[in-house]
Amino acid sequence: EVELVQSGAEVKEAGESLRISCRGSGYTFTNNWIGWVRQMPGKGLQWVGSIDPSDSYPNFSPSFRGRVIISVDKSISSAYLQWSSLKASDTAIYYCVRRHAKSETFDVWGQGTVVTVSS
Amino acid sequence: QSVLTQPPSVSAAPGQKVAISCSGTSSNIGNNYVSWYQQLPGTAPKVLIYDNDKRPSGVPDRFSGSKSGTSATLGITGLQSGDEADYYCGTWDTSLSDVAFGGGTKLTVL
């Protein structure tokens, strides 16, 4: 079964750093781009960015470029989303997503990681 | 303000059908494939329709997608209480170099 399993919920203070993770299983990890989607409380979906696990080439939404880092460790089929200095406005659920190999769609979603940042 | 425009809510009785619209421009829907995602309460979204009208395996044929010009539509027939969810359209926006999502439509099965 193809699956993306994310790390657990995080509670942080503003200004702290954070890295959340996403581990893929059930498929060849380097065959599909991995991305992140943000959902703020009670709001809709926003694409953060994606990365090609085969060469670690990232692509960011203009809204998030420079604010987050996306990385991957293909040896353990894992992708990461990290912040160097969190803000209260980063409070959200972050979903790890797999991009379909032949389509722009996000065909597999992780269970989500709740990030809460207090000011 | 979302790049793609969806109605905030739709409702219909069990067994009926409903259509959810998604309106965009030539830089997004007009020249790119559209996906539809279903988010049941308290769960992660899942893809219902991709490439405008394709259903992943396991998605019932009660769900259908179509696209015309700069608009797309998700159709759901034989409504069930389990279809109550938020539905999002999504596509690539070439001008913004960004993935565009609609604001979401809450479906209520009366």
Side-chain angles (χ1 to χ4, degrees), chain B residues 11-74:
Chain B
S11 61
Q16 296 300 303
K17 62 182 179 181
V18 70
I20 298 174
S21 62
C22 176
S23 177
T25 68
S26 59
S27 70
N28 42 65
I29 292 178
N31 285 285
N32 293 289
Y33 288 112
V34 177
S35 298
W36 288 92
Y37 303 93
Q38 177 194 56
Q39 186 174 31
L40 296 168
T43 70
K46 79 165 198 178
V47 62
L48 282 180
I49 299 291
Y50 69 100
D51 288 358
N52 302 333
D53 56 11
K54 295 182 174 61
R55 275 179 290 105
S57 60
V59 173
D61 59 7
R62 300 186 299 106
F63 296 91
S64 64
S66 64
K67 188 182 101 168
S68 178
T70 59
S71 293
T73 302
L74 173 70

Side-chain angles (χ1 to χ4, degrees), chain A residues 37 39 43-47 59-63 65 95 100 102-107 109-112, chain B residues 33 35-37 39 42-47 49-51 86 88 92 96-99 101-104:
Chain A
V37 172
Q39 187 168 39
K43 302 297 184 183
L45 307 174
Q46 296 174 280
W47 176 64
N59 187 19
F60 291 95
S61 163
S63 300
R65 189 174 293 122
Y95 293 103
H100 191 284
K102 298 180 180 179
S103 167
E104 292 293 328
T105 199
F106 299 132
D107 65 346
W109 292 64
Q111 83 275 21
Chain B
Y33 288 112
S35 298
W36 288 92
Y37 303 93
Q39 186 174 31
T43 70
K46 79 165 198 178
V47 62
I49 299 291
Y50 69 100
D51 288 358
D86 293 322
Y88 295 92
W92 178 252
L96 299 176
S97 293
D98 202 349
V99 173
F101 286 106

Side-chain angles (χ1 to χ4, degrees), chain A residues 14-69:
Chain A
E16 290 187 313
S17 62
L18 174 66
R19 188 179 81 163
I20 62 176
S21 67
C22 166
R23 187 165 190 274
S25 63
Y27 72 102
T28 301
F29 189 68
T30 51
N31 283 356
N32 301 75
W33 284 63
I34 288 285
W36 294 91
V37 172
R38 181 176 82 174
Q39 187 168 39
M40 299 176 76
K43 302 297 184 183
L45 307 174
Q46 296 174 280
W47 176 64
V48 175
S50 298
I51 190 166
D52 182 348
S54 66
D55 60 9
S56 298
Y57 177 79
N59 187 19
F60 291 95
S61 163
S63 300
F64 291 90
R65 189 174 293 122
R67 278 282 298 136
V68 297
I69 295 171

